[in-house]
Amino acid sequence: MNYSELAPQYIRAIAPYQPGKPISELERELGISNIVKLASNENPLGCSPKATAAMHEAIKTIALYPDGNGFELKDALSKKYGVPHNQIILGNGSNDMLELAARAFLTVGDKAVYSDHAFAVYPLATQAVGATGISVPAINFGHDLNAMLKSAVDNKAKLVFVANPNNPTGTFLKADELLKFLRLLPSNILVVLDEAYNEYLPQECRYDSVAWLKEFPNLIISRTFSKAYGLAGLRVGYAFCHAQVADMINRVRQPFNVNSVAQAAAVAALQDTEFVRRTFELNLRGMKQITEGLTKLGLEYIPSYGNFISFKIGDGMNYYRRLLELGVIVRPVASYDMAEYLRVSIGTEEENQKFLAALQQAIKERK
Ligand SMILES: Cc1ncc(COP(=O)(O)O)c(C=O)c1O
């Protein structure tokens, strides 16, 4: 019996998500220590001490189920962003938001549109419900919103995924480009605007997408506590959308999809604006350090608005493996049709330095 044949064809066709290599795995494989992981766009500062204290407190009541409605966290988000509770959805990471949107609104025969080189979970979430994903060619690695609009309309798509900034390219869409797209898109096509890296945007790029919810009932804004808030291991994300959209998504959501420790930590993290500011500034300095280092090494990179950057190296997989041996974990992006590139997350000054030194050595060895 081949048990994979019991799964529908569209499940068998899925190419599984490849996460960044954990430090412990590399330690086991190569028996090395002092490993630097710059592979999953995590926060090198850890998380807010206020979040840590809240987690300790929350553990005391761990025998109880979490609040399935996430009242406290929704309330904190509601106060911060001015969105009512019934327009907020909580998720097990923002990955959950992407999957829930697909699960609630797509089925076999439906279509979803996203960009080439866009975050891998869009095709995965689409395929997992038997819908058809349409990937639209990018311009300079960024989303071509005009082409995505045309594709969505021509193909009668139900859902469009837009990442801003996008991972792994780091490309950014300006507010006026997004607004134009939203105004032209028929209102019966939903848009998931994935803002996982929103907090890293420089001041001059910031825009108030939350205010757009009033004008665009088809807009779903997805965000996370995994990046700037440093809570990737806890898995907590959220989305803002129309109340009817939230209602549908809540019907397919696991009742306890966000655990109680995560809810408590997220509430505390949200209050610690100082921590987010320090994260932002460290990232700004680190981005400068890494881009200057890449330039010195004669390497091209895609200017990035996130906490990571993709650079052109040639044989990405080979360099990835050599960097592993040198104790630095980065991310190969061949599955994004970017085999000549590698993606590195911005770390602390020391981690960035270790990455640049290892890269320099790997390049020297190949000459
Ligand atoms: C663009 C984008 N969206 C969403 C996510 C999902 O992150 P999480 O599920 O940790 O919120 C990621 C993670 O890397 C991402 O890069």
Side-chain angles (χ1 to χ4, degrees), residues 345-358:
S345 305
I346 310 300
T348 60
E349 187 180 348
E350 205 184 348
E351 289 170 330
N352 299 338
Q353 190 43 47
K354 181 159 176 178
F355 155 71
L356 288 169

Side-chain angles (χ1 to χ4, degrees), residues 117 167-169 310-311 316-317 331-343:
H117 318 295
N167 167 27
T169 59
S310 288
F311 58 95
M317 212 52 206
R331 192 70 160 263
V333 281
S335 59
Y336 286 93
D337 204 12
M338 293 168 66
E340 293 195 323
Y341 285 76
L342 284 176
R343 190 196 72 193

Side-chain angles (χ1 to χ4, degrees), residues 240-259:
F240 297 137
C241 57
H242 190 278
Q244 288 164 356
V245 173
D247 179 22
M248 289 302 115
I249 289 181
N250 276 321
R251 292 178 194 210
V252 294
R253 182 179 64 82
Q254 268 189 55
F256 305 111
N257 63 332
V258 184
N259 70 71

Side-chain angles (χ1 to χ4, degrees), residues 17 40-41 92-96 98 119 121-122 163-167 194-197 222-227 232 235-237 308 343:
Y17 182 81
S40 302
N41 307 341
N92 191 248
S94 62
N95 196 121
D96 202 21
L98 308 174
F119 185 47
V121 169
Y122 312 150
N164 203 38
N166 181 45
N167 167 27
D194 178 351
E195 296 185 336
Y197 301 95
S222 163
R223 298 208 182 143
T224 186
F225 285 94
S226 298
K227 309 295 177 184
R235 315 301 305 125
V236 49
F308 56 88
R343 190 196 72 193

